[in-house]
Amino acid sequence: MHLIVLIVILTVPAPSTFAQTVSILNGGKDNASKEVEISLSRILRAKGYMVKAGSTDAFVLLLNVLQVQTRDRARTGLAGNLTIVSMQWEQLADLVFSKQCQAKHIVAQRLQDYSGTRLTQIGSTIAFAPTEDQLADLLRAFAHKTVLAASNKVDALASEAAKINGPANESRP
């Protein structure tokens, strides 16, 4: 049973204590990319999220924006890609597993730290819109739906694991 819980943990994002926190990493340096990031941040904050820029805390929103142009180079709108990932999966393991299991996990964590950061991809979308604000609103709707669904799954997993394993601070592995 521990193996099933571990497999699920490795494929599911951080617990919902992070559900209202998102970090935005913008892949573009042009004005359109910056304007979409600012608008996305503003809209998410208005919806109750704590938004961090340039961080990998909680749910990470990887944002890329391109201007869509005709062959004559006339601007016809924007295309935006938003990929949602998490780098915080270890914190769920800390909530679910006992201290002995966590101690055994440290050995595996050292190998992972040596090989690089583990990303858990949660979802991705591409949207098209005529303005920066409209593109940001489309991406916000996707981010909210995806982060909420992932948070609910993590809550359910943590609850089930606690029923199976007992409280996280219990001394059995």
Side-chain angles (χ1 to χ4, degrees):
M1 186 55 102
H2 288 289
L3 180 59
I4 293 171
V5 172
L6 182 59
I7 290 170
V8 173
I9 286 172
L10 295 178
T11 60
V12 178
S16 65
T17 56
F18 300 97
Q20 298 304 318
T21 300
V22 294
S23 300
I24 300 176
L25 295 178
N26 190 346
K29 301 298 180 202
D30 59 298
N31 286 340
S33 293
K34 291 176 185 175
E35 288 178 30
V36 170
E37 178 185 0
I38 290 167
S39 185
L40 181 60
S41 296
R42 179 180 41 78
I43 293 168
L44 285 169
R45 282 186 182 110
K47 295 291 183 183
Y49 285 84
M50 179 169 57
V51 180
K52 297 181 176 186
S55 171
T56 58
D57 293 343
F59 292 98
V60 181
L61 310 180
L62 304 174
L63 174 66
N64 288 292
V65 177
L66 296 172
Q67 291 189 23
V68 180
Q69 300 175 341
T70 65
R71 290 182 186 226
D72 299 331
R73 299 198 187 270
R75 181 179 163 174
T76 60
L78 300 162
N81 171 261
L82 188 67
T83 301
I84 302 173
V85 300
S86 176
M87 296 181 191
Q88 305 291 332
W89 67 272
E90 297 91 352
Q91 292 179 357
L92 176 62
D94 290 345
L95 292 174
V96 174
F97 292 119
S98 68
K99 294 221 183 271
Q100 287 178 338
C101 289
Q102 290 175 29
K104 291 178 184 178
H105 174 71
I106 291 171
V107 175
Q109 186 62 40
R110 279 190 217 137
L111 178 61
Q112 181 178 315
D113 290 344
Y114 179 75
S115 62
T117 302
R118 180 182 178 91
L119 285 176
T120 302
Q121 182 174 344
I122 299 165
S124 184
T125 192
I126 297 174
F128 298 91
T131 68
E132 288 84 354
D133 285 338
Q134 290 171 330
L135 179 60
D137 193 46
L138 289 171
L139 296 175
R140 186 266 328 145
F142 171 77
H144 175 69
K145 181 177 108 179
T146 305
V147 166
L148 184 62
S151 297
N152 289 338
K153 287 179 184 177
V154 170
D155 283 345
L157 172 65
S159 176
E160 288 301 312
K163 288 178 189 174
I164 294 167
N165 297 329
N169 293 329
E170 197 172 302
S171 62
R172 68 181 160 92

